[in-house]
Amino acid sequence: MYGISTGIVSPALNAWTVDMSFPESRGKAMATMYIALEAGIGLGALFAGWVYQDVIAKIPGTDPVLKDEYVIHTAHLDHVGVGKAINGDSIYNGAHDNASGVASLLEIARTYKKLKKQPRRSILIAMVTAEEMGLLGSAYFAGNPTVPVKQIVADVNTDMPTLIAPLLSVTPLGAVHSSLEKNVAWACKGLGLIIEKDPMPEENRFIRSDQYSFVLAGIPALHIKYGTKTPDDSFDLVAFTKEWRDKNYHKPSDEITNGFLYSAAKTYVQLNFLISYSIAQTTLRPSWNKGDFFGVGD
C-alpha cells in the first residue's frame, strides 16, 4: 500500500510544538531552530511557496496485535539540484548523498517482500523530501503521518552512508539513547561488525538528519554511520573519508562512478534490514533509556 504526504512544514516551526515547560524540551526546540535557521533554510522555503512530496510504502505485519505498530525506514530523496558549474558540470547528482540511501531502502523493501512470512510489526518505507533545506519532508511526515504517530515505534534512517571502503565497523548514532542499542548489537554480531563510539561527538550528528524529526515526535531512532576499522591498520579511513568528502560533498563529482564499493553497500543494507527486522519481531516496544535527554517529556 502506497501513500503520498504533501506539504511545507519547517522543523524550525515544528520545534515550537514541543512542550516548552520542560527545560530539556526547550533545549530540543533550540537545537532544531539552530539547525533549520543556521544557513537561512526552513523558513525561507515556507515563504517561497514550494511544494514537496514524500513517498511512503507500507508492508503489513502478521501479528494480530503488533501489526498495528510500525518500524519506519527513512532516507531523503532530494539533493541540491543544479548549481554553480565546477569544471563545466552544473548537475549536482547526489549519488552518495542520498541516492545510495534511497537505493538501500528499495533493496530493504525488496528483501522484506521476498520473505516467506512478513515480520510481526508492519514496516514503513519513507523516502522523504527536502532534507537539504532543513529536514522538511521528515518533519512534515512526523507531524502528519499516514499512520497514527503513537504507533510508530522506531525510525532507522539512512543518509549518505559513504560506501567507499570495506564496512568492518559502524557508529550507530542514537543507539546509546534507547533500547535500540540491543537491536544494533544483535545485527552487528550476526554480520561480524564492530560497534564503535561516535568519533566526532562535538558535531552532534544525531540531530542533523531526518531521524531527528522522529526524535522530536518521541520516537526512538537510529542513523547508522561508517566506523573507522580497516583491513590494514596503516590505512587511515577517517582521513581518507574526509579527503573524499572535501572533494565531492555537495559537488557535481558526487556521481555513481566515484568510489562506490558494492560489497560494502551489500553489508550496509543487510545491517539496516536486520536491525529493523529484529525491532519488528520483538514483542517489547523500543523505549528511551531512563532519564535520557531525548526521552524526557515523552
Side-chain angles (χ1 to χ4, degrees):
M1 184 175 74
Y2 296 85
I4 300 291
S5 298
T6 305
I8 312 172
V9 176
S10 169
L13 298 183
N14 192 47
W16 298 110
T17 67
V18 177
D19 186 348
M20 301 293 276
S21 63
F22 292 97
E24 296 85 354
S25 296
R26 288 197 293 271
K28 290 182 186 179
M30 292 303 102
T32 308
M33 289 291 291
Y34 174 78
I35 294 167
L37 301 179
E38 178 183 25
I41 56 179
L43 291 177
L46 282 173
F47 299 129
W50 298 336
V51 177
Y52 310 88
Q53 291 185 330
D54 296 333
V55 181
I56 315 298
K58 174 184 172 182
I59 303 172
T62 56
D63 185 272
V65 176
L66 295 182
K67 68 179 181 180
D68 292 327
E69 295 183 349
Y70 301 86
V71 182
I72 186 168
H73 277 280
T74 50
H76 73 87
L77 50 74
D78 64 300
H79 192 54
V80 297
V82 179
K84 180 181 178 181
I86 299 177
N87 297 324
D89 188 355
S90 61
I91 305 298
Y92 288 62
N93 304 278
H96 285 269
D97 182 19
N98 186 38
S100 63
V102 172
S104 295
L105 261 62
L106 290 172
E107 185 63 17
I108 288 168
R110 189 182 72 87
T111 302
Y112 269 113
K113 292 301 291 182
K114 287 178 63 178
L115 294 177
K116 292 182 179 180
K117 184 178 181 180
Q118 298 302 322
R120 300 172 70 196
R121 285 189 175 90
S122 296
I123 304 296
L124 293 178
I125 304 293
M127 299 173 189
V128 296
T129 191
E131 185 271 349
E132 301 288 2
M133 300 183 70
L135 316 185
L136 301 187
S138 59
Y140 181 82
F141 182 85
N144 304 270
T146 54
V147 300
V149 69
K150 294 296 184 183
Q151 298 302 101
I152 301 175
V153 303
D155 170 53
V156 181
N157 186 48
T158 298
D159 185 2
M160 195 177 179
T162 318
L163 305 163
I164 58 176
L167 182 57
L168 303 178
S169 63
V170 295
T171 299
L173 301 179
V176 297
H177 299 291
S178 74
S179 62
L180 296 179
E181 188 171 26
K182 297 177 182 177
N183 303 96
V184 173
W186 176 83
C188 285
K189 182 178 180 180
L191 293 172
L193 296 172
I194 298 170
I195 298 174
E196 297 179 342
K197 294 182 179 179
D198 186 359
M200 299 174 286
E202 70 282 358
E203 294 192 3
N204 296 315
R205 293 187 294 170
F206 182 50
I207 63 172
R208 289 171 51 191
S209 188
D210 288 306
Q211 70 276 354
Y212 191 54
S213 295
F214 294 88
V215 171
L216 284 175
I219 300 166
L222 295 169
H223 182 190
I224 306 299
K225 300 296 286 185
Y226 250 69
T228 62
K229 181 68 176 174
T230 62
D232 182 355
D233 290 338
S234 66
F235 177 63
D236 189 341
L237 181 55
V238 174
F240 177 74
T241 302
K242 183 180 185 304
E243 181 181 1
W244 187 94
R245 285 177 60 90
D246 289 345
K247 290 181 179 178
N248 303 294
Y249 178 66
H250 282 191
K251 294 182 175 68
S253 55
D254 181 3
E255 301 189 64
I256 195 170
T257 55
N258 191 352
F260 273 102
L261 185 63
Y262 292 100
S263 59
K266 177 181 178 180
T267 303
Y268 186 83
V269 168
Q270 289 173 330
L271 174 62
N272 282 268
F273 167 79
L274 288 174
I275 290 171
S276 67
Y277 183 82
S278 68
I279 299 169
Q281 288 291 85
T282 303
T283 300
L284 193 63
R285 181 184 178 123
S287 60
W288 296 105
N289 293 337
K290 184 177 180 180
D292 187 84
F293 169 80
F294 292 108
V296 172
D298 295 323

